[in-house]
Structures are given as C-alpha cells and as structure tokens.
Amino acid sequence: MSYDPQNIFAKILRGEIPCDKIYENGHALAFRDIHPKAPVHVLIIPKGAYESSSDFSEKASAEEIAGFMRAVHAVAEQTGVLDAGYRLIANTGANGHQEVPHFHVHLLGGRPLGAMLQAGR
Ligand code: DGP
C-alpha cells in the first residue's frame, strides 16, 4: 500500500480542510477529533507522509520521531490531562481498525477511561 495524498489528514495538513488546532511544531500537528470519545480527544499527526504507525517507526528520521513525541507531551500538558492521566491509541491497519491512512495517535482523557479493551481472544 502506498501513501494516498488525498486522505483527509493530508488535506488538513495542506490547509484544504479546517481543523480545531491544539498544537503544532516543525514535525507534527495536533487537532481535536471530529467525533470525540472523551472530554479530551486530540489527534496528533506527523507532517510527513506516513500511512501508519509501522511506516512512521520504520522510516521517519530521529528528528521527526522526537518532534512527534514532543508534540504528544505538549498536547497532554496543554489539555490538562498530565496529572490525572490519559490514553494514547494508534490504530494500525485492518485489524487495528485504522480508518484514515495517515499515521495518527489519539490522545484521550478528561475522565476515567476504563479497561483498554473488552476481554476476548
Ligand atoms: P482511526 O483511523 O480509526 O484511528 O480514526 C480516525 C479518526 O479521525 C476518527 O476518530 C475520526 C477522525 N476524523 C475523521 N475525519 C476527520 C476530520 O475531517 N477532522 C477531524 N478533526 N477528525 C476526523
């Protein structure tokens, strides 16, 4: 699978579609999820064209990875969830239920989130 430059997050990065921006640095952009599942639900995406978590971890430079992770921390700090805690999710591929083929991490918080997954094999 090759990166699709017409995916919705690529359009947000190019400014073709608006977003509720929370934070931006040289390597990452963070904005509120359009369908929030918690009081705080922010998506953090790299500015580079990476389709998934695997693609990003395999191919991104050390600077891109550092910039991305710093953005995750900045969002946690800015949204006030550092002390109470929060959850990071990176849905990847078909079994991971990844809908948008541009790597993104969901940062969720603002209430107790319960167990990570329902039991099941
Ligand atoms: P997933 O690929 O399943 O990890 O989740 C994609 C998320 O992206 C989903 O929670 C909804 C969100 N989303 C989809 N389209 C848009 C959009 O145009 N704007 C924003 N802010 N979020 C979007």
Side-chain angles (χ1 to χ4, degrees):
M1 197 169 126
S2 61
Y3 182 81
D4 172 13
Q6 294 311 316
N7 78 75
I8 202 91
F9 294 170
K11 291 181 180 178
I12 286 175
L13 280 169
R14 292 195 295 267
E16 294 166 13
I17 289 179
C19 71
D20 186 357
K21 184 163 93 176
I22 295 283
Y23 177 84
E24 181 172 15
N25 66 22
H27 294 295
L29 175 70
F31 51 90
R32 291 194 192 279
D33 193 291
I34 205 166
H35 296 129
K37 303 288 194 301
V40 173
H41 188 171
V42 177
L43 300 169
I44 302 111
I45 70 174
K47 290 189 172 176
Y50 299 102
E51 69 184 41
S52 70
S53 170
S54 308
D55 193 28
F56 183 73
S57 1
E58 184 186 5
K59 298 177 188 153
S61 68
E63 289 75 19
E64 288 176 293
I65 293 170
F68 182 81
M69 292 311 296
R70 296 283 191 226
V72 171
H73 176 76
V75 168
E77 192 167 51
Q78 214 170 298
T79 55
V81 300
L82 271 183
D83 288 346
Y86 57 94
R87 180 171 295 158
L88 301 177
I89 298 175
N91 296 323
T92 306
N95 277 7
H97 205 276
Q98 181 178 359
E99 293 176 303
V100 179
H102 181 110
F103 172 47
H104 52 282
V105 163
H106 298 251
L107 186 151
L108 298 132
R111 66 166 168 81
L113 296 168
M116 186 170 69
L117 286 174
Q118 290 183 340
R121 291 171 60 91

